[in-house]
Amino acid sequence: MWNRKGKPVGRGGLTAFMDEDSDIEGRYFFKGTLMLNGHFKGDISSSDTLIIGEKGKVTGDIRAGQVVVSGEIVGSVICTERVELKRTARVFGDMEGPLVVVEGISRLLPGVVGNPESVASESFQAGLLEGP
């Protein structure tokens, strides 16, 4: 993961961390880089970076500069810079942003793209690839 200045963001670059034993409900506003591995129910807002780990789950809407998803989101994602879906990502809602990066093995489910006809051209549906 890289920050806006082109420098790598490691664990030392995090400004907040929610571990997998966390279970939080409400609204969360932050600056910097948040790594979320717990469960969060509510809306998250930031102009910076949200990283949802493999064990992380957000039930609510997200507005951020960048979102990297390895876990699960049930809600919409609106980014001003980019959304990155890792192979373990599960998103049940709409995504919006100038750049959406999907790891090669990811699968977009109906309703994620927002265009009902998109599922007809989805690689697995069209038989271009074997299903996961």
Side-chain angles (χ1 to χ4, degrees), residues 113-126:
V113 179
N115 180 352
E117 294 154 8
S118 65
V119 75
S121 63
E122 192 239 350
S123 297
F124 297 107
Q125 191 76 7

Side-chain angles (χ1 to χ4, degrees), residues 5-26:
K5 296 179 182 169
K7 296 182 180 177
V9 174
R11 190 168 182 105
L14 297 176
T15 53
F17 181 81
M18 290 185 193
D19 72 7
E20 56 194 71
D21 293 326
S22 299
D23 193 356
I24 301 172
E25 187 171 337

Side-chain angles (χ1 to χ4, degrees), residues 27-104:
R27 297 166 110 193
Y28 193 69
F29 301 91
F30 70 93
K31 289 186 178 183
T33 301
L34 167 65
M35 174 69 161
L36 190 148
N37 264 323
H39 297 112
F40 186 88
K41 184 175 183 179
D43 297 338
I44 298 176
S45 296
S46 177
S47 58
D48 295 319
T49 302
L50 171 63
I51 303 169
I52 300 173
E54 285 189 27
K55 296 182 180 180
K57 179 178 181 180
V58 175
T59 303
D61 296 332
I62 298 171
R63 290 180 173 269
Q66 298 183 55
V67 176
V68 178
V69 185
S70 295
E72 181 175 311
I73 298 173
V74 179
S76 65
V77 179
I78 298 174
C79 290
T80 57
E81 296 177 32
R82 72 186 265 156
V83 179
E84 185 174 340
L85 301 178
K86 299 296 188 177
R87 66 178 181 82
T88 56
R90 297 163 317 279
V91 179
F92 303 95
D94 295 325
M95 293 184 299
E96 182 181 319
L99 177 63
V100 177
V101 178
V102 180
E103 205 167 272

